Amino acid sequence: MKAAVIVFPGSNCDRDLAVAFRAAGFETTMVWHKDGALPEGVDIVGVPGGFSYGDYLRCGAIAAQSPVMRAVSAHAARGGHVLGICNGFQVLCETRLLPGALMRNAGLKFVCKMQRLSVGTADSAFTAGYAAGQEVTFPIAHHDGNYVADAQTLASLEAEDRIAFRYIGNPNGAMGDIAGILSPNRRVLGLMPHPERVVDAAQGGTDGAAMFRALAEALVAA
Amino acid sequence: MTEPAITPDLIAAHGLKPDEYERILEIIGREPTFTELGIFSAMWNEHCSYKSSKKWLRTLPTKGPQVICGPGENAGVVDIGDGQAVVFKMESHNHPSYIEPYQGAATGVGGILRDVFTMGARPIAAMNALSFGEKDHPKTRQLVHGVVEGVGGYGNCFGVPNVGGEVRFHRAYNGNCLVNAFAAGLAEADSIFYSAASGVGMPVVYLGAKTGRDGVGGATMASAEFDDTIEEKRPTVQVGDPFTEKRLLEACLELMASGAVISIQDMGAAGLTCSAVEMGDKGNLGIKLTLDHVPQRETNMTAYEMMLSESQERMLMVLKPSMEAEARAIFQKWDLDFAIVGETIPEDRFLILHGNEVMADLPLSKLSSEAPEYDRPWVPTEPAADMDPVPEVDAIDALKALISSPNYCSRAWVYEQYDHMVMADTIRAPGLGAGVVRVHGTEKALAFTSDVTPRYVKANPVEGGKQAVAEAYRNLIAVGARPLATTDNLNFGNPEKPEIMGQFVGAIQGIGQACAALDMPIVSGNVSLYNETDGQAILPTPTIGAVGLLSSPEELIAGVPRDGHVLMVLGETRGHLGQSALLAEVFNREEGDAPPVDLAAERTAGEFILANRQWITACTDLSDGGLALAAFEMAVAGDVGLTLEPSDNAMLYGEDQGRYLIATNFDKAEALMVAAGQAGVTLSTVGKVGGDKIRIGGSEASLADLSTLWRTAFAAHFA
């Protein structure tokens, strides 16, 4: 299985994500933002956390226009898997691979802490290692994680079982306590919490490891 | 362009004393140009020249087998085995943060990160020690919000975990907050980059962001006392861009790996002037700069402005000429400026050209070697008067007063605004004692702490100085780390006052003794003087940042107490209440002497913990707030109640040094007792863990209630 991790000049969780992919058995390549193409045969693209181009404008707005995101969109259109974490989720929303937007936290402060979450659905390659309704704890670390979408979008996310994670104790004001969502084909996941920061026990938790293991199992079978 | 005439007023406005100006005339044998006056002022202010402190800094222990590079470079370098080194330093950004809290704090973080990666190290941890005025002072809330957001805003974007620090409040900081920023990085021990230029005719290259007018004269501003005209000084504060800094980091590390760099220096205080002079001076070379080639953000900048600008995210480098194309390509990849702005020259000369005119022509080595150095008069601090008796109070009431006070409530409001987990190697988060970060891809980890108790230093600078180092030592030991080395960030008032100078001298003496006795030499540091407003000095605040090494994950002590555990105190409790948290927070009294520090006992206790860590589940040092506060914090960490046997205030809240609180199960506690007997250290059982209440001194309260009080107090005071 092959993974690619996108590196924007302001990415700062790119290495962390690559470490998590590699630990789950993925052959992982870093892809520079100025590159217009992904490596041949990539199964999953990771869009990591950080501050893509500084994010002095709306988070992820400039990244969405970068050459590499055209390649990521094409990969998604072909039915490829995409995982966007934190800034990566913001970029996927700005790229319109996922609906809705991420606004400034309701408390107006950056918030970094361990966050309890409820798994919304086990029906995806990302979440197959969890049970729906299972409680997991991932770290969060963001200033703009307040998910908003129009009523129709929220209703369809709900109806189509595309809410992957919900906060238990909403840290940022996100509508419907939404922490992460899936695309209609369930192959693009964007989430604010950081599963890649809890993949080994020394990090204070291992709840994230199941996501990467499940992805490896799904994609090796594919 | 015509420069202003040199007048006594202009000289004074540059912070130069009349005798210092006479010295300039002697050195160059003529009246300086305006640009030259600016250069002298930049090099000779307190911040850059250490003219009041140098004499005393030389007395500090700076050597040891673990030290690869001590003070004098951008940061200290310490061996951590396997060909790796940790590179670290702490530096203040006090004055700018008081004037413009967000940008002042942000650029303080940026500056210290640059100091670390200039040496070839990738930053892996940061800390911040913050001192603010009293809670109800009209400026405090705004400063707390601005500084914390600025620290977070910069570090979070740059992507370095902020794993520890301090936050304190005291009326002595009402007019002068302190922002001390620490950063540590990881490098290959044989690939450290230094600032000394070498080779004649080598290109001097400007890297990073463009130069603007921000920060012109900042270092001179930071070397003066404040008065009510302070708001007028806002334009001297720099503006930070962490995204550019992140790119500068990556580009510099790539450039260093390419072999193109002869020497490199970040442009910090006094920007281009200081960095160019330092590179030339250390390499016994002259430097010629042609300012027309400096990348500029604003139009019509003068030589004076460019030489004194403190625009951020800039570096100066001496380049191997054969590698110019490769070097340029790396900076283009990261969309950063790369410009050859000068060259090294054989003669001792600092030659500044602009628009085909000579704007400055000075003997380079004299700018630093002939800088004034003062042996300022000082008087030792008077011994503390005897203390009036301290009335007994209910132990739970006292605990509630402490844990709801700005100084001893939970700091989560602060550190939750800092990304403390980015890089995914943080294995002990901030909140209780030292933060610990894995050395990526190895079995090793590094522990970080920053400590000082300014009340102690004011009452007794020598013991207070010792105590700051001893507490840092204990915080490292308590997580199972072997203390390696120290950085000092010395914040004091006006050194021209003999009693302030006396505080400085005493603190240095104490710090020096402790660093020698505990084998944690000073490898870097920073001095911030003139922290006074309208003649009122801050509490003497020599912040000690320290780093310890864990060679394997098994060495980490990071457990929490569990139901059934025994609580034990290592070290002797005598009940010292002078200058204690109990006295200050409950009785509003700052009286008595600082607790004495027995450095030999500190060392013995520390070695005992490291030798017996297999018997210890949870461990924390006892510092201000004594046994009761430490036990409470341990109970919160384990979410379990506990009972302490000692009943009087002095035994519960006394701040005797050299002590640790240990929680472990009964069998291990017995083994530990046997070991203590053999080692000749004092180990006493002080209580037990269990239930859902805190029981001390005959009173009790629910842990959940106390915990809520502790967790919510900071926001209640400041949000």
Side-chain angles (χ1 to χ4, degrees):
Chain A
M1 313 122 349
K2 287 188 181 173
V5 174
I6 307 301
V7 184
F8 296 110
S11 295
N12 61 29
C13 304
D14 44 334
R15 185 191 75 181
D16 312 354
L17 184 53
V19 167
F21 272 132
R22 286 181 185 132
F26 284 90
E27 182 190 329
T28 305
T29 313
M30 311 306 274
V31 178
W32 182 239
H33 69 113
K34 290 181 183 174
D35 294 346
L38 298 170
E40 276 300 303
V42 159
D43 298 295
I44 180 162
V45 177
V47 188
F51 287 72
S52 47
Y53 291 88
D55 287 340
Y56 294 119
L57 291 175
R58 228 168 48 237
C59 295
I62 294 181
Q65 307 302 320
S66 73
V68 79
M69 285 314 293
R70 284 196 288 275
V72 174
S73 296
H75 168 82
R78 287 194 300 270
H81 284 79
V82 181
L83 170 61
I85 300 172
C86 198
N87 189 225
F89 184 17
Q90 295 162 344
V91 172
L92 295 183
C93 287
E94 290 289 339
T95 314
R96 310 317 299 163
L97 285 172
L98 291 171
L102 293 142
M103 309 276 286
R104 180 117 309 187
N105 293 346
L108 304 180
K109 302 277 189 197
F110 189 96
V111 55
C112 175
K113 61 177 184 175
M114 287 291 187
Q115 174 68 46
R116 293 164 63 211
L117 303 167
S118 164
V119 177
T121 176
D123 180 15
S124 78
F126 306 92
T127 54
Y130 307 107
Q134 181 183 340
E135 184 181 322
V136 293
T137 298
F138 295 168
I140 54 169
H142 58 250
H143 212 155
D144 298 78
N146 181 355
Y147 184 78
V148 295
D150 58 45
Q152 198 184 341
T153 303
L154 290 172
S156 60
L157 287 172
E158 192 79 53
E160 294 162 21
D161 191 27
R162 285 164 52 199
I163 299 172
F165 297 95
R166 286 189 179 82
Y167 299 111
I168 301 175
N170 192 329
N172 54 28
M175 286 181 172
D177 299 328
I178 289 173
I181 55 171
L182 292 159
S183 60
N185 71 358
R186 315 187 83 76
R187 291 182 173 202
V188 179
L189 169 68
L191 77 170
M192 290 312 297
H194 287 272
E196 83 282 17
R197 293 187 185 183
V198 273
V199 293
D200 88 51
Q203 294 165 320
T206 55
D207 284 354
M211 180 181 295
F212 295 94
R213 272 200 309 270
L215 276 170
E217 282 166 26
L219 295 177
V220 79
Chain B
M1 186 174 304
T2 339
E3 294 194 320
I6 308 298
T7 64
D9 283 351
L10 191 70
I11 294 163
H14 281 76
L16 290 161
K17 302 275 154 67
D19 57 318
E20 292 175 343
Y21 184 68
E22 284 305 314
R23 203 179 177 110
I24 293 173
L25 295 181
E26 262 172 54
I27 290 171
I28 61 174
R30 60 175 167 80
E31 182 177 80
T33 66
F34 180 57
T35 301
E36 288 173 341
L37 185 72
I39 290 171
F40 272 106
S41 131
M43 291 303 299
W44 285 10
N45 64 59
E46 189 68 54
H47 187 83
C48 295
S49 73
Y50 295 89
K51 60 191 171 191
S52 301
S53 58
K54 238 192 270 183
K55 172 185 159 73
W56 298 101
L57 297 177
R58 287 195 196 101
T59 66
L60 289 168
T62 58
K63 295 192 169 66
Q66 71 273 44
V67 179
I68 294 174
C69 172
E73 283 289 338
N74 285 294
V77 184
V78 177
D79 191 350
I80 57 168
D82 313 310
Q84 293 181 303
V86 59
V87 176
F88 65 94
K89 188 183 182 182
M90 188 173 236
E91 195 162 78
S92 61
H93 227 214
N94 305 334
H95 290 75
S97 301
Y98 188 77
I99 299 169
E100 164 51 55
Y102 185 96
Q103 293 297 346
T107 54
V109 174
I112 198 68
L113 289 168
R114 240 168 9 256
D115 278 332
V116 164
F117 70 77
T118 306
M119 307 282 300
R122 177 177 288 278
I124 58 164
M127 296 192 288
N128 283 274
L130 312 176
S131 303
F132 299 104
E134 62 200 328
K135 180 186 80 169
D136 297 324
H137 187 272
K139 269 195 84 94
T140 300
R141 185 179 173 277
Q142 172 212 346
L143 288 172
V144 170
H145 280 258
V147 166
V148 171
E149 277 174 38
V151 167
Y154 206 98
N156 297 342
C157 177
F158 180 86
V160 61
N162 195 318
V163 299
E166 300 175 275
V167 186
R168 74 175 58 81
F169 299 89
H170 191 281
R171 62 185 173 282
Y173 305 103
N174 279 351
N176 205 131
C177 64
L178 303 183
V179 174
N180 294 177
F182 170 98
L186 187 68
E188 298 300 316
D190 60 359
S191 313
I192 305 291
F193 287 80
Y194 298 101
S195 54
S198 69
V200 170
M202 298 294 161
V204 173
V205 183
Y206 173 114
L207 306 171
K210 295 186 197 305
T211 295
R213 291 190 171 90
D214 50 333
V216 172
T220 303
M221 174 273 290
S223 303
E225 281 186 43
F226 280 176
D227 54 30
D228 50 15
T229 64
I230 191 63
E231 300 297 338
E232 296 165 18
K233 295 189 173 159
R234 277 185 71 175
T236 59
V237 178
Q238 319 85 321
V239 176
D241 174 3
F243 173 59
T244 297
E245 178 109 330
K246 162 76 174 163
R247 290 182 292 144
L248 188 60
L249 159 76
E250 300 296 347
C252 282
L253 293 184
E254 266 189 56
L255 189 64
M256 288 163 169
S258 77
V261 178
I262 294 175
S263 76
I264 186 162
Q265 171 76 26
D266 91 295
M267 290 194 228
L272 197 49
T273 295
C274 228
S275 54
V277 169
E278 192 144 340
M279 290 172 94
D281 187 46
K282 285 191 173 145
N284 292 315
L285 290 165
I287 302 269
K288 180 174 97 175
L289 297 178
T290 305
L291 299 183
D292 308 73
H293 300 144
V294 169
Q296 291 157 52
R297 198 171 64 215
E298 299 176 58
T299 51
N300 299 322
M301 287 189 70
T302 64
Y304 177 92
E305 288 167 336
M306 279 189 263
M307 291 309 291
L308 296 192
S309 162
E310 293 190 4
S311 289
Q312 298 290 292
E313 295 91 24
R314 301 180 302 160
M315 295 272 194
L316 203 61
M317 170 184 72
V318 179
L319 174 76
K320 278 184 197 157
S322 60
M323 302 279 294
E324 187 191 327
E326 287 94 327
R328 196 180 284 278
I330 290 170
F331 274 72
Q332 276 166 356
K333 170 185 165 189
W334 290 96
D335 298 313
L336 290 164
D337 272 299
F338 176 101
I340 294 177
V341 295
E343 61 173 340
T344 55
I345 52 179
E347 64 270 27
D348 179 15
R349 193 173 182 197
F350 192 39
L351 182 61
I352 307 300
L353 307 174
H354 189 216
N356 292 322
E357 271 185 70
V358 173
M359 303 308 292
D361 188 354
L362 298 168
L364 185 142
S365 67
K366 296 214 160 50
L367 286 169
S368 48
S369 68
E370 294 292 313
E373 184 177 333
Y374 297 121
D375 182 2
R376 302 246 187 231
W378 60 280
V379 292
T381 301
E382 291 284 326
D386 284 341
M387 194 172 70
D388 290 335
V390 183
E392 280 293 305
V393 289
D394 178 85
I396 288 286
D397 288 347
L399 185 63
K400 285 182 180 167
L402 286 188
I403 64 176
S404 60
S405 74
N407 277 313
Y408 300 103
C409 63
S410 165
R411 268 65 190 120
W413 187 90
V414 176
Y415 64 74
E416 285 182 355
Q417 294 187 55
Y418 305 152
D419 192 337
H420 45 266
M421 296 184 255
V422 63
M423 301 183 92
D425 281 316
T426 302
I427 55 175
R428 200 167 195 276
L432 186 60
V436 183
V437 169
R438 292 187 294 203
V439 177
H440 193 74
T442 74
E443 291 283 285
K444 292 180 291 193
L446 291 164
F448 303 96
T449 185
S450 111
D451 299 283
V452 62
T453 312
R455 269 198 312 271
Y456 297 171
V457 188
K458 180 156 191 227
N460 186 334
V462 178
E463 291 304 310
K466 281 193 219 169
Q467 193 278 339
V469 179
E471 187 174 338
Y473 173 85
R474 291 197 301 269
N475 274 321
L476 297 176
I477 293 280
V479 297
R482 161 77 54 193
L484 278 182
T486 306
T487 179
D488 58 347
N489 195 157
L490 308 168
N491 310 272
F492 289 80
N494 181 346
E496 294 163 41
K497 298 177 182 171
E499 57 284 5
I500 299 286
M501 200 59 208
Q503 292 176 345
F504 184 80
V505 172
I508 290 269
Q509 289 168 343
I511 290 168
Q513 288 169 31
C515 287
L518 301 174
D519 190 19
M520 38 200 298
I522 303 271
V523 296
S524 57
N526 163 248
V527 179
S528 171
L529 302 174
Y530 296 96
N531 289 291
E532 299 203 1
T533 299
D534 296 328
Q536 291 299 305
I538 58 160
L539 294 182
T541 312
T543 310
I544 296 296
V547 179
L549 176 67
L550 296 130
S551 48
S552 75
E554 291 74 42
E555 291 185 355
L556 180 69
I557 304 171
V560 293
R562 296 280 175 231
D563 204 336
H565 275 180
V566 179
L567 291 169
M568 311 169 100
V569 166
L570 176 66
E572 278 188 56
T573 303
R574 296 188 181 85
H576 184 100
L577 284 177
Q579 299 299 340
S580 63
L582 179 82
L583 206 56
E585 300 292 345
V586 177
F587 298 100
N588 197 22
R589 287 165 55 186
E590 290 175 29
E591 294 171 20
D593 200 356
V597 181
D598 178 342
L599 293 169
E602 291 282 357
R603 188 75 192 257
T604 309
E607 293 294 340
F608 178 78
I609 301 257
L610 295 187
N612 293 284
R613 63 183 121 212
Q614 73 271 29
W615 311 121
I616 299 170
T617 300
C619 183
T620 182
D621 101 296
L622 295 190
S623 53
D624 40 357
L627 170 61
L629 186 61
F632 167 75
E633 289 178 355
M634 218 185 228
V636 171
D639 193 22
V640 60
L642 53 80
T643 305
L644 291 180
E645 288 159 11
S647 58
D648 61 297
N649 284 174
M651 301 312 270
L652 286 168
Y653 290 99
E655 297 183 3
D656 310 277
Q657 298 296 297
R659 298 185 303 155
Y660 300 80
L661 177 63
I662 293 165
T664 198
N665 73 31
F666 188 76
D667 292 344
K668 288 180 174 175
E670 284 210 321
L672 208 52
M673 275 295 185
V674 171
Q678 286 163 353
V681 296
T682 306
L683 182 68
S684 345
T685 302
V686 295
K688 58 179 192 293
V689 179
D692 57 5
K693 291 190 166 59
I694 299 288
R695 295 189 176 87
I696 45 174
S699 302
E700 61 174 48
S702 120
L703 174 65
D705 291 349
L706 293 175
S707 176
T708 302
L709 184 63
W710 179 73
R711 282 179 210 282
T712 55
F714 201 98
H717 292 305
F718 301 106

